[in-house]
Amino acid sequence: MEFKEQQSIFQQIAEHVIQQILTDEIKANDKLSSVRETAGKLGVNPNTIMRAYTELLNNNIIYNKRGIGYFVSESAKTTILNKRKKDFLTKDVPMFIGKIKMLNINKQELENIIKLIKK
Amino acid sequence: MEFKEQQSIFQQIAEHVIQQILTDEIKANDKLSSVRETAGKLGVNPNTIMRAYTELLNNNIIYNKRGIGYFVSESAKTTILNKRKKDFLTKDVPMFIGKIKMLNINKQELENIIKLIKK
Amino acid sequence: MEFKEQQSIFQQIAEHVIQQILTDEIKANDKLSSVRETAGKLGVNPNTIMRAYTELLNNNIIYNKRGIGYFVSESAKTTILNKRKKDFLTKDVPMFIGKIKMLNINKQELENIIKLIKK
Amino acid sequence: MEFKEQQSIFQQIAEHVIQQILTDEIKANDKLSSVRETAGKLGVNPNTIMRAYTELLNNNIIYNKRGIGYFVSESAKTTILNKRKKDFLTKDVPMFIGKIKMLNINKQELENIIKLIKK
DNA sequence: GTGGTCTAGACCACC
DNA sequence: GTGGTCTAGACCACA
């Protein structure tokens, strides 16, 4: 796994777990790979993994069994999708529309974009 | 002027200048308010203004007359719009479409969004 | 049996035994279910049961017959109740009063709480 | 400042800040002492302070100005008190009553406790 | 100066 | 074995 410069590593790791959940690579009640193991595999400090997992824990995407490990929450997928959808409708859509207006996108271009969207 | 937390202040200031150019509040060869004055008005460290102006300078949106001040470039508006349009088509549109697919936005929702876009 | 996250499992198991003693589900000189059996039943590591029983042993709530098992002490119930009562009066009551003051619980609310207590 | 063994240091530091807010030692929009300064003063690693402050940030008790520092939120005090009061009524009160019943506190003792509460 | 992130490595409680 | 906390020290972006 390679990391982008623009985002912190722990966020990218958290995001990666989320993607795995969304694509069913890991499912409800599956165990995440342990902090140390993940750290070794990604060539990253265990603290960094801890921070990523803590982030997911705070958002109820994973839970914790003492001395055993982290597990995907039953409701992880819906929790994630609900948040994403809300963000999309309240942030992305208005921003997208704002840009179209600001950039004076003409009719023809607009139609092309909408075609792409509908595909 | 109030600042959002998610973006650095100097970027927000640069963005603000760009918006003023796009809306013709300030036009080609107009002088920007001085670093010190702007800093005082916004309650911000002069270094921060400097950095915003440097950013604009590097993108050829403003130019500098030594000892006099910063001025809006002749080509500022087209420079900005070209870059924005390119970014919009190559980044925003694909990302927008990607999110629609990922979130399983259904037909009805999609139509509503497109209506908003067409307005 | 389900476990809370905030307290260690061995403590919850020990507490569970104590509750059984207090409610006379198990009485003086009754045999506790064996470490292995309990572990299997609760889906927990035998070490964890061991630790819970050791905890109870140290507090003279249970005793041990080598090769036979663990048994409820003659004085278990009174031992427990004495300790609990002392803790309640010296810790819980002062803390409860402290919180009432800190939170500015008003007269009406206070009366409601006292009604609940007296029931 | 001395730390107890039973609770993590970063939580005790966060709690200390909360106490300072509740007692008006620090008020809305006051700046907290910087991460490094606090770390030095308490003889603790800066990371530990960071973690305490991050905790408070997540609970909207403090906010953040880029490059400047952490500040007490306008609503910090009410946020804290609301949470505490809710916790008190939903957790402490039921537990307190539960203990009274479990311990067979007699009438006389109960009256004494209520007297203390009413003071 | 400020916070934010990360590493390396330690020690602890718990399972 | 697992996670949880902490230290010491580094480097970065930002004001």
Side-chain angles (χ1 to χ4, degrees), chain A residues 51-64:
Chain A
R51 191 153 176 202
Y53 282 10
T54 302
E55 198 79 358
L56 295 169
L57 194 66
N58 288 339
N59 290 314
N60 296 315
I61 292 169
I62 61 178
Y63 64 91
N64 190 324

Side-chain angles (χ1 to χ4, degrees), chain C residues 62-75:
Chain C
I62 62 178
Y63 63 91
N64 185 11
K65 285 189 191 169
R66 309 195 73 172
I68 303 184
Y70 290 90
F71 298 82
V72 176
S73 300
E74 193 68 52
S75 61

